[in-house]
């Protein structure tokens, strides 16, 4: 487990790894997710925000998801800015 924090004490970065999974999260100073990469035994997901914090790219199991409704759902599920 590795974590980094902003001077304010807000979580900035979190990375963890076990035998079955690995996860990396990055957050802005307001606590919103700006990046996520998670690898599980049966699923891999990568979510990327633009400079404003809005989710712009989702890749699940190697497939880029471009449907705005899918991106919106990921944004809600993983606490990205809208």
């Amino acid at each position: 487990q590795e974590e980094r924090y902003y001077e304010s004490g807000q979580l900035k970065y979190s990375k963890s790894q076990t035998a079955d999974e690995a996860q990396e999260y990055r957050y802005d100073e307001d606590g919103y997710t700006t990046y996520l990469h998670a690898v599980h035994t049966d699923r891999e997901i990568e979510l990327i925000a633009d400079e404003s914090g809005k989710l712009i790219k989702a890749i699940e199991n190697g497939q880029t998801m471009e449907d705005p409704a899918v991106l919106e759902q990921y944004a809600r599920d993983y606490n990205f800015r809208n």
Side-chain angles (χ1 to χ4, degrees), residues 37-63:
H37 185 219
V39 179
H40 304 277
T41 53
D42 61 344
R43 181 176 181 221
E44 180 175 1
I45 187 167
E46 185 173 22
L47 304 175
I48 304 164
D50 64 12
E51 291 178 6
S52 72
K54 182 178 178 181
L55 181 62
I56 58 166
K57 190 170 190 179
I59 304 167
E60 185 169 351
N61 296 328
Q63 181 178 0

Side-chain angles (χ1 to χ4, degrees), residues 20-36:
D20 297 327
E21 64 184 30
Q23 297 183 34
E24 178 181 352
Y25 287 85
R26 296 179 193 159
Y27 305 94
D28 65 15
E29 291 190 71
D30 294 323
Y32 289 100
T33 307
T34 60
Y35 177 81
L36 170 135

